[in-house]
Amino acid sequence: MSFIRDPDRREVLATSAAVAASRLIPTQAHAATTSDAIRPFKVDVPEAKLTELRRRINATNWPEQETVPDQSQGVQFATMQKLARYWATDYDWSKCEARLKALPHFVTEIDGLDIHFIHVRSKHENALPLIVNHGWPGSIIEQLKIIDPLTNPTAHSASASDAFHLVIPSMPGYGFSGKPTSTGWGPERMARAWAELMKRLGYSRYVAQGGDWGAFVVDQMGLQAPAGLLAIHTNMPATVPNDINDALSRGDPAPAGLSADEQRACEQLTRTFKQVEYARMMAARPQTLYGIADSPVGLAAWLLDHNDADGQPAAAVASALNRTTSATGELTRDEILDNITLYWLTNTGVSASRLYWEYKGGFFNAKGVSIPVAVSVFPGEQYEAPRSWTERAYPKLIHYNKVAKGGHFAAWEQPQLFCAELRTAFRSLRKS
């Protein structure tokens, strides 16, 4: 991978001018300084890196098979061996790289760190600017399938009035963004960085979306309420009343008098809180995970294991490993490997893990967001937020919908439903 870092300033200026002329980035009202300049970014993986990846997969020092007939000890030996054989022999990274190269990539320095982002402007003049946030163990790969439907809605049976200008950043320590060399890059700081990014791109009014860690970031954006942010959309809402959240976190039973939806949510949360060993490890000792920087198979197993059995997100990922194609957008084996391979090529397994160490707040408890919020509840999420909790957590709720299918990786698993949710969620905020 490589940045274009002004080795020949004339070439960079020409590239920037060509991009601006094609409406991929808005023209800016003032000349950018060196520190806030938006620079083109080139995705270019040397073949030697891919050769070394395959060599390391083939040289894996395998442990023995698990001693149980199920997944209770982790990702099963047969699953990993089958995936490794395919990864080393038949998987083709170049297809993913071609998809990435077809998109406009940029990098800009914010708060001392290089932030990478994809920026695609719609051809429709009144499109609504939208910044979309990925999570862990995801990346910008999660959002690739939603780019054209959101920016070019008329090609996907939607209206031009539902178009978005799309900004998709890589979180610090993830993908092509820089890796923090000091502490402090948690969701709160990312929220401020994304507001600065949208301002730097010239967007005076915009909306934000997030799932997984991206949901934490947009909640923080909602709390900070920067100028220009009209609303947020989340597919992993933080709605749990604090007393219930505290009780369930301690392992106490749910309080009496709950509705059926609230009781079900408590049961789901109780299950979730028992299945987050991976999160506890990254929150406590992320630097100890040297193995995922040294072994591709070790990295893959770590990114695949959520210890949630038939729940999310493991269920969607596990089923994808046996799916080679999908006509409606469900996850496939190659898409899972695209994401894992990006982590390997950028050596971000450990740097991404540090986000768990950085964050000290609650996960699903209400945060006090007071700006307009839209919520989509996917049935396979770690818990299904009841409307009653959602209305209390987000007093300016502008959209709430229980989606028919899909789960934790909503944009990745069900891109058509996800895009439909975003169009509906933000429709009331568009200029007439």
Side-chain angles (χ1 to χ4, degrees), residues 75-95:
V75 184
Q76 291 175 295
F77 182 79
T79 298
M80 290 310 303
Q81 284 218 316
K82 180 179 178 182
L83 184 65
R85 283 194 297 269
Y86 177 77
W87 197 8
T89 58
D90 297 323
Y91 168 74
D92 185 359
W93 162 260
S94 68
K95 293 179 181 178

PDB file of all heavy atoms in Angstrom, residues 75-95:
ATOM      1  N   VAL A  75     -12.714 -21.443  17.583  1.00  0.00           N
ATOM      2  CA  VAL A  75     -12.909 -21.757  16.169  1.00  0.00           C
ATOM      3  C   VAL A  75     -12.323 -23.139  15.895  1.00  0.00           C
ATOM      4  O   VAL A  75     -11.158 -23.401  16.196  1.00  0.00           O
ATOM      5  CB  VAL A  75     -12.243 -20.709  15.261  1.00  0.00           C
ATOM      6  CG1 VAL A  75     -12.543 -21.007  13.790  1.00  0.00           C
ATOM      7  CG2 VAL A  75     -12.730 -19.314  15.626  1.00  0.00           C
ATOM      8  N   GLN A  76     -13.126 -23.982  15.294  1.00  0.00           N
ATOM      9  CA  GLN A  76     -12.734 -25.391  15.188  1.00  0.00           C
ATOM     10  C   GLN A  76     -11.593 -25.623  14.187  1.00  0.00           C
ATOM     11  O   GLN A  76     -11.444 -24.908  13.193  1.00  0.00           O
ATOM     12  CB  GLN A  76     -13.956 -26.230  14.817  1.00  0.00           C
ATOM     13  CG  GLN A  76     -14.971 -26.306  15.956  1.00  0.00           C
ATOM     14  CD  GLN A  76     -16.242 -27.022  15.561  1.00  0.00           C
ATOM     15  OE1 GLN A  76     -16.985 -26.545  14.711  1.00  0.00           O
ATOM     16  NE2 GLN A  76     -16.511 -28.168  16.174  1.00  0.00           N
ATOM     17  N   PHE A  77     -10.807 -26.639  14.497  1.00  0.00           N
ATOM     18  CA  PHE A  77      -9.624 -27.005  13.715  1.00  0.00           C
ATOM     19  C   PHE A  77      -9.982 -27.234  12.251  1.00  0.00           C
ATOM     20  O   PHE A  77      -9.307 -26.720  11.347  1.00  0.00           O
ATOM     21  CB  PHE A  77      -9.020 -28.275  14.335  1.00  0.00           C
ATOM     22  CG  PHE A  77      -7.762 -28.759  13.685  1.00  0.00           C
ATOM     23  CD1 PHE A  77      -6.547 -28.167  13.963  1.00  0.00           C
ATOM     24  CD2 PHE A  77      -7.790 -29.839  12.805  1.00  0.00           C
ATOM     25  CE1 PHE A  77      -5.379 -28.624  13.364  1.00  0.00           C
ATOM     26  CE2 PHE A  77      -6.631 -30.311  12.209  1.00  0.00           C
ATOM     27  CZ  PHE A  77      -5.418 -29.703  12.489  1.00  0.00           C
ATOM     28  N   ALA A  78     -11.035 -27.991  11.984  1.00  0.00           N
ATOM     29  CA  ALA A  78     -11.408 -28.287  10.599  1.00  0.00           C
ATOM     30  C   ALA A  78     -11.807 -27.022   9.844  1.00  0.00           C
ATOM     31  O   ALA A  78     -11.486 -26.858   8.664  1.00  0.00           O
ATOM     32  CB  ALA A  78     -12.549 -29.305  10.575  1.00  0.00           C
ATOM     33  N   THR A  79     -12.488 -26.130  10.528  1.00  0.00           N
ATOM     34  CA  THR A  79     -12.887 -24.863   9.904  1.00  0.00           C
ATOM     35  C   THR A  79     -11.671 -24.066   9.483  1.00  0.00           C
ATOM     36  O   THR A  79     -11.597 -23.549   8.353  1.00  0.00           O
ATOM     37  CB  THR A  79     -13.738 -24.033  10.889  1.00  0.00           C
ATOM     38  OG1 THR A  79     -14.935 -24.745  11.205  1.00  0.00           O
ATOM     39  CG2 THR A  79     -14.102 -22.677  10.295  1.00  0.00           C
ATOM     40  N   MET A  80     -10.696 -23.937  10.367  1.00  0.00           N
ATOM     41  CA  MET A  80      -9.508 -23.137  10.074  1.00  0.00           C
ATOM     42  C   MET A  80      -8.636 -23.795   9.003  1.00  0.00           C
ATOM     43  O   MET A  80      -8.072 -23.097   8.159  1.00  0.00           O
ATOM     44  CB  MET A  80      -8.698 -22.901  11.349  1.00  0.00           C
ATOM     45  CG  MET A  80      -9.363 -21.952  12.342  1.00  0.00           C
ATOM     46  SD  MET A  80      -9.928 -20.388  11.592  1.00  0.00           S
ATOM     47  CE  MET A  80      -8.401 -19.757  10.882  1.00  0.00           C
ATOM     48  N   GLN A  81      -8.519 -25.122   9.024  1.00  0.00           N
ATOM     49  CA  GLN A  81      -7.700 -25.774   8.009  1.00  0.00           C
ATOM     50  C   GLN A  81      -8.327 -25.614   6.619  1.00  0.00           C
ATOM     51  O   GLN A  81      -7.630 -25.357   5.631  1.00  0.00           O
ATOM     52  CB  GLN A  81      -7.516 -27.256   8.348  1.00  0.00           C
ATOM     53  CG  GLN A  81      -6.514 -27.492   9.462  1.00  0.00           C
ATOM     54  CD  GLN A  81      -5.674 -28.731   9.227  1.00  0.00           C
ATOM     55  OE1 GLN A  81      -6.195 -29.776   8.844  1.00  0.00           O
ATOM     56  NE2 GLN A  81      -4.372 -28.623   9.453  1.00  0.00           N
ATOM     57  N   LYS A  82      -9.634 -25.756   6.549  1.00  0.00           N
ATOM     58  CA  LYS A  82     -10.324 -25.602   5.269  1.00  0.00           C
ATOM     59  C   LYS A  82     -10.175 -24.177   4.751  1.00  0.00           C
ATOM     60  O   LYS A  82      -9.881 -23.959   3.558  1.00  0.00           O
ATOM     61  CB  LYS A  82     -11.806 -25.947   5.437  1.00  0.00           C
ATOM     62  CG  LYS A  82     -12.629 -25.815   4.163  1.00  0.00           C
ATOM     63  CD  LYS A  82     -14.080 -26.187   4.416  1.00  0.00           C
ATOM     64  CE  LYS A  82     -14.927 -26.011   3.155  1.00  0.00           C
ATOM     65  NZ  LYS A  82     -16.366 -26.341   3.421  1.00  0.00           N
ATOM     66  N   LEU A  83     -10.342 -23.187   5.639  1.00  0.00           N
ATOM     67  CA  LEU A  83     -10.214 -21.797   5.221  1.00  0.00           C
ATOM     68  C   LEU A  83      -8.781 -21.485   4.805  1.00  0.00           C
ATOM     69  O   LEU A  83      -8.546 -20.796   3.801  1.00  0.00           O
ATOM     70  CB  LEU A  83     -10.640 -20.874   6.369  1.00  0.00           C
ATOM     71  CG  LEU A  83     -10.648 -19.375   6.048  1.00  0.00           C
ATOM     72  CD1 LEU A  83     -11.703 -19.060   4.992  1.00  0.00           C
ATOM     73  CD2 LEU A  83     -10.905 -18.561   7.313  1.00  0.00           C
ATOM     74  N   ALA A  84      -7.814 -22.005   5.532  1.00  0.00           N
ATOM     75  CA  ALA A  84      -6.405 -21.743   5.222  1.00  0.00           C
ATOM     76  C   ALA A  84      -6.022 -22.315   3.865  1.00  0.00           C
ATOM     77  O   ALA A  84      -5.281 -21.687   3.098  1.00  0.00           O
ATOM     78  CB  ALA A  84      -5.512 -22.324   6.318  1.00  0.00           C
ATOM     79  N   ARG A  85      -6.500 -23.523   3.564  1.00  0.00           N
ATOM     80  CA  ARG A  85      -6.189 -24.123   2.258  1.00  0.00           C
ATOM     81  C   ARG A  85      -6.716 -23.247   1.125  1.00  0.00           C
ATOM     82  O   ARG A  85      -6.009 -23.004   0.139  1.00  0.00           O
ATOM     83  CB  ARG A  85      -6.788 -25.530   2.167  1.00  0.00           C
ATOM     84  CG  ARG A  85      -6.020 -26.592   2.920  1.00  0.00           C
ATOM     85  CD  ARG A  85      -6.468 -28.002   2.511  1.00  0.00           C
ATOM     86  NE  ARG A  85      -7.869 -28.234   2.859  1.00  0.00           N
ATOM     87  CZ  ARG A  85      -8.276 -28.743   4.008  1.00  0.00           C
ATOM     88  NH1 ARG A  85      -7.398 -29.068   4.942  1.00  0.00           N
ATOM     89  NH2 ARG A  85      -9.565 -28.950   4.237  1.00  0.00           N
ATOM     90  N   TYR A  86      -7.936 -22.773   1.272  1.00  0.00           N
ATOM     91  CA  TYR A  86      -8.511 -21.914   0.236  1.00  0.00           C
ATOM     92  C   TYR A  86      -7.770 -20.592   0.154  1.00  0.00           C
ATOM     93  O   TYR A  86      -7.462 -20.112  -0.943  1.00  0.00           O
ATOM     94  CB  TYR A  86      -9.993 -21.668   0.536  1.00  0.00           C
ATOM     95  CG  TYR A  86     -10.648 -20.732  -0.454  1.00  0.00           C
ATOM     96  CD1 TYR A  86     -11.019 -21.176  -1.723  1.00  0.00           C
ATOM     97  CD2 TYR A  86     -10.871 -19.402  -0.122  1.00  0.00           C
ATOM     98  CE1 TYR A  86     -11.596 -20.304  -2.645  1.00  0.00           C
ATOM     99  CE2 TYR A  86     -11.452 -18.523  -1.034  1.00  0.00           C
ATOM    100  CZ  TYR A  86     -11.816 -18.981  -2.288  1.00  0.00           C
ATOM    101  OH  TYR A  86     -12.378 -18.126  -3.195  1.00  0.00           O
ATOM    102  N   TRP A  87      -7.454 -20.010   1.296  1.00  0.00           N
ATOM    103  CA  TRP A  87      -6.766 -18.710   1.351  1.00  0.00           C
ATOM    104  C   TRP A  87      -5.408 -18.790   0.658  1.00  0.00           C
ATOM    105  O   TRP A  87      -5.017 -17.874  -0.069  1.00  0.00           O
ATOM    106  CB  TRP A  87      -6.608 -18.323   2.815  1.00  0.00           C
ATOM    107  CG  TRP A  87      -6.298 -16.876   3.090  1.00  0.00           C
ATOM    108  CD1 TRP A  87      -6.281 -15.833   2.210  1.00  0.00           C
ATOM    109  CD2 TRP A  87      -5.965 -16.318   4.369  1.00  0.00           C
ATOM    110  NE1 TRP A  87      -5.972 -14.671   2.863  1.00  0.00           N
ATOM    111  CE2 TRP A  87      -5.773 -14.942   4.185  1.00  0.00           C
ATOM    112  CE3 TRP A  87      -5.830 -16.863   5.652  1.00  0.00           C
ATOM    113  CZ2 TRP A  87      -5.437 -14.084   5.251  1.00  0.00           C
ATOM    114  CZ3 TRP A  87      -5.507 -16.012   6.691  1.00  0.00           C
ATOM    115  CH2 TRP A  87      -5.311 -14.649   6.498  1.00  0.00           C
ATOM    116  N   ALA A  88      -4.702 -19.871   0.858  1.00  0.00           N
ATOM    117  CA  ALA A  88      -3.347 -19.995   0.320  1.00  0.00           C
ATOM    118  C   ALA A  88      -3.317 -20.391  -1.154  1.00  0.00           C
ATOM    119  O   ALA A  88      -2.318 -20.137  -1.846  1.00  0.00           O
ATOM    120  CB  ALA A  88      -2.568 -21.023   1.136  1.00  0.00           C
ATOM    121  N   THR A  89      -4.392 -21.000  -1.657  1.00  0.00           N
ATOM    122  CA  THR A  89      -4.339 -21.540  -3.018  1.00  0.00           C
ATOM    123  C   THR A  89      -5.293 -20.874  -4.013  1.00  0.00           C
ATOM    124  O   THR A  89      -4.911 -20.575  -5.141  1.00  0.00           O
ATOM    125  CB  THR A  89      -4.629 -23.050  -3.000  1.00  0.00           C
ATOM    126  OG1 THR A  89      -5.914 -23.272  -2.399  1.00  0.00           O
ATOM    127  CG2 THR A  89      -3.576 -23.798  -2.191  1.00  0.00           C
ATOM    128  N   ASP A  90      -6.517 -20.621  -3.607  1.00  0.00           N
ATOM    129  CA  ASP A  90      -7.534 -20.161  -4.564  1.00  0.00           C
ATOM    130  C   ASP A  90      -8.012 -18.721  -4.360  1.00  0.00           C
ATOM    131  O   ASP A  90      -8.537 -18.105  -5.287  1.00  0.00           O
ATOM    132  CB  ASP A  90      -8.763 -21.081  -4.507  1.00  0.00           C
ATOM    133  CG  ASP A  90      -8.423 -22.497  -4.926  1.00  0.00           C
ATOM    134  OD1 ASP A  90      -7.604 -22.650  -5.852  1.00  0.00           O
ATOM    135  OD2 ASP A  90      -8.951 -23.448  -4.325  1.00  0.00           O
ATOM    136  N   TYR A  91      -7.883 -18.191  -3.164  1.00  0.00           N
ATOM    137  CA  TYR A  91      -8.359 -16.834  -2.897  1.00  0.00           C
ATOM    138  C   TYR A  91      -7.560 -15.826  -3.716  1.00  0.00           C
ATOM    139  O   TYR A  91      -6.347 -15.929  -3.845  1.00  0.00           O
ATOM    140  CB  TYR A  91      -8.246 -16.507  -1.410  1.00  0.00           C
ATOM    141  CG  TYR A  91      -8.448 -15.048  -1.116  1.00  0.00           C
ATOM    142  CD1 TYR A  91      -9.716 -14.470  -1.181  1.00  0.00           C
ATOM    143  CD2 TYR A  91      -7.361 -14.224  -0.801  1.00  0.00           C
ATOM    144  CE1 TYR A  91      -9.906 -13.123  -0.927  1.00  0.00           C
ATOM    145  CE2 TYR A  91      -7.537 -12.877  -0.538  1.00  0.00           C
ATOM    146  CZ  TYR A  91      -8.816 -12.327  -0.606  1.00  0.00           C
ATOM    147  OH  TYR A  91      -8.994 -10.982  -0.366  1.00  0.00           O
ATOM    148  N   ASP A  92      -8.258 -14.823  -4.249  1.00  0.00           N
ATOM    149  CA  ASP A  92      -7.634 -13.835  -5.137  1.00  0.00           C
ATOM    150  C   ASP A  92      -7.868 -12.423  -4.577  1.00  0.00           C
ATOM    151  O   ASP A  92      -8.927 -11.833  -4.772  1.00  0.00           O
ATOM    152  CB  ASP A  92      -8.241 -13.956  -6.541  1.00  0.00           C
ATOM    153  CG  ASP A  92      -7.559 -13.052  -7.559  1.00  0.00           C
ATOM    154  OD1 ASP A  92      -6.622 -12.310  -7.182  1.00  0.00           O
ATOM    155  OD2 ASP A  92      -7.976 -13.076  -8.734  1.00  0.00           O
ATOM    156  N   TRP A  93      -6.860 -11.882  -3.904  1.00  0.00           N
ATOM    157  CA  TRP A  93      -6.957 -10.525  -3.349  1.00  0.00           C
ATOM    158  C   TRP A  93      -7.143  -9.471  -4.432  1.00  0.00           C
ATOM    159  O   TRP A  93      -7.762  -8.424  -4.198  1.00  0.00           O
ATOM    160  CB  TRP A  93      -5.714 -10.198  -2.518  1.00  0.00           C
ATOM    161  CG  TRP A  93      -5.529  -8.723  -2.280  1.00  0.00           C
ATOM    162  CD1 TRP A  93      -4.686  -7.879  -2.954  1.00  0.00           C
ATOM    163  CD2 TRP A  93      -6.238  -7.902  -1.341  1.00  0.00           C
ATOM    164  NE1 TRP A  93      -4.809  -6.596  -2.477  1.00  0.00           N
ATOM    165  CE2 TRP A  93      -5.763  -6.584  -1.486  1.00  0.00           C
ATOM    166  CE3 TRP A  93      -7.228  -8.157  -0.388  1.00  0.00           C
ATOM    167  CZ2 TRP A  93      -6.233  -5.516  -0.707  1.00  0.00           C
ATOM    168  CZ3 TRP A  93      -7.698  -7.094   0.381  1.00  0.00           C
ATOM    169  CH2 TRP A  93      -7.215  -5.804   0.218  1.00  0.00           C
ATOM    170  N   SER A  94      -6.644  -9.735  -5.624  1.00  0.00           N
ATOM    171  CA  SER A  94      -6.668  -8.718  -6.681  1.00  0.00           C
ATOM    172  C   SER A  94      -8.084  -8.265  -7.016  1.00  0.00           C
ATOM    173  O   SER A  94      -8.301  -7.132  -7.449  1.00  0.00           O
ATOM    174  CB  SER A  94      -5.967  -9.224  -7.941  1.00  0.00           C
ATOM    175  OG  SER A  94      -6.702 -10.270  -8.545  1.00  0.00           O
ATOM    176  N   LYS A  95      -9.068  -9.135  -6.810  1.00  0.00           N
ATOM    177  CA  LYS A  95     -10.457  -8.741  -7.078  1.00  0.00           C
ATOM    178  C   LYS A  95     -10.902  -7.656  -6.104  1.00  0.00           C
ATOM    179  O   LYS A  95     -11.554  -6.684  -6.482  1.00  0.00           O
ATOM    180  CB  LYS A  95     -11.371  -9.958  -6.989  1.00  0.00           C
ATOM    181  CG  LYS A  95     -11.135 -10.994  -8.066  1.00  0.00           C
ATOM    182  CD  LYS A  95     -12.071 -12.189  -7.891  1.00  0.00           C
ATOM    183  CE  LYS A  95     -11.827 -13.246  -8.958  1.00  0.00           C
ATOM    184  NZ  LYS A  95     -12.702 -14.438  -8.759  1.00  0.00           N
TER     185      LYS A  95
END
